[in-house]
Every structure is written in C-alpha cells, then in structure tokens.
Amino acid sequence: GDSVTQMEGPVTLSEEAFLTINCTYTATGYPSLFWYVQYPGEGLQLLLKATKADDKGSNKGFEATYRKETTSFHLEKGSVQVSDSAVYFCALRGNFNKFYFGSGTKLNVKP
Amino acid sequence: DSGVTQTPKHLITATGQRVTLRCSPRSGDLSVYWYQQSLDQGLQFLIQYYNGEERAKGNILERFSAQQFPDLHSELNLSSLELGDSALYFCASSALNQGITDTQYFGPGTRLTVL
C-alpha cells in the first residue's frame, strides 16, 4: 500500500545552516505530495505541495521537488532560523483521496 | 489561526467509556478529515467526509465512528475506550473533494487521555 518514509530526528542545526529532511514514498498511481509543519502546541500547517512529477513546491524559503524517478520529495532550506524549529511531516495523497503521513522529523535550530 | 475549531481541547476519561469530539470546518469548506496522532503510530488518517457523505476511510477502528451534519460540522465518536486510544485527535478541512488545489487546514486538536 501507499506509504511515506522520512528521516528520523531530531535534527539539530545552527542558525543559517543548510537544511535537508529526506522523504521517500511508495504509491500506486500519481500521488500529490505535501510538507506540513507543526509548531509546539499547534495543529499542522501546510508548508508546500507538489501535484505532479518535477513540480517544485516552495514557501517561506523552503523548497521540495517531486522526483518520480527516485520517489522522493526532500525538503530543503538554504539558511534556517531559530523560528523554523518545529516538527516537519511529509505526506502524500494517494488513490481514493487517502492521506498518508510520515512519522515527522523534529528540527531544533540553535542561535 | 486556521479557521478550524475543535472542542474540547482536552478530555480525560476512563476505559470503557464513550466520548464525542467535535469539529467545525473553515467557513465554506465542504470536506472534513479526522486524524489520530500518537507517539507510537505517528499521524494516522482516520476518515474523510465531503458534504455530509463519507468519502475516504483510513485506519479507523470499528469502535470509532464519525459523521458530518448538514451545517458541515463533524463529530468523531470513540466508544469502548482503551488505554491505547490516548492520543491527539486532529480535524482538518478543505474546500474541495479531490481537486488538485485541495489544501487541508488543521485544527488545534483534542487531546484525549484514557485512564
């Protein structure tokens, strides 16, 4: 069945460091891919999305490219800030509108 | 603030009991989704409703049921509660059913503790 696998955390970086959080997926058909962010004590917020192969989603300096050949949707940011500290979830929407989330990666950014 | 509201914020109950969680979607959104977030199983999709009808089903137990009312609010009913049902339950809403621009907006969640 459909599934999402993302790198385990926590990831600890210094401010202005480069961020990569890996996400790979397994799906039949043509899923849409998403990154969500969850700040402490809050619900999930959509960060970015891509609906077809080679699409690049971007928002707030974060980017991810839908790579069908490697079934990946890695999240990147060139220079992280302390305010980026949160839990990041990779997700896919597969057949029959079902959503599958990765286990989440906690990011800690130190000043 | 996503515009999605959930009540109650916290719920503490005993094993074997039944509880109802409530969700009001963003104004104009027709779809409602329910998720369970626990430490051991991560974020799991439970069920989706669109304009009052069930549209997608995930890993929802038979002890759990949901419905969406004519005013589009939704309720998730959890019965015969077990310790393992302790989790954060999120509701999300979206405007469309399967449109490619479909974006889910999440509520703040209801934390359920089963003692």
Side-chain angles (χ1 to χ4, degrees), chain A residues 19-32:
Chain A
L19 168 71
T20 299
I21 300 178
N22 290 338
C23 171
T24 57
Y25 68 90
T26 302
T28 54
Y30 304 95
S32 295

Side-chain angles (χ1 to χ4, degrees), chain A residues 23-46:
Chain A
C23 171
T24 57
Y25 68 90
T26 302
T28 54
Y30 304 95
S32 295
L33 300 173
F34 305 82
W35 276 101
Y36 281 84
V37 58
Q38 184 179 29
Y39 297 101
E42 297 184 13
L44 278 72
Q45 301 175 26
L46 179 66

Side-chain angles (χ1 to χ4, degrees), chain B residues 5-12 19-23 34 76 87-90 108-113:
Chain B
T5 60
Q6 289 187 247
T7 56
K9 196 167 184 178
H10 301 279
L11 198 50
I12 301 175
V19 296
T20 298
L21 313 182
R22 183 189 168 102
C23 168
W34 285 99
L76 178 67
L88 199 49
Y89 290 83
F90 285 109
T110 293
R111 182 168 293 284
L112 173 67
T113 303

Side-chain angles (χ1 to χ4, degrees), chain A residues 41-60:
Chain A
E42 297 184 13
L44 278 72
Q45 301 175 26
L46 179 66
L47 183 58
L48 53 83
K49 65 183 178 185
T51 56
K52 62 183 187 298
D54 299 324
D55 269 3
K56 177 186 279 189
S58 61
N59 185 27
K60 299 181 182 178

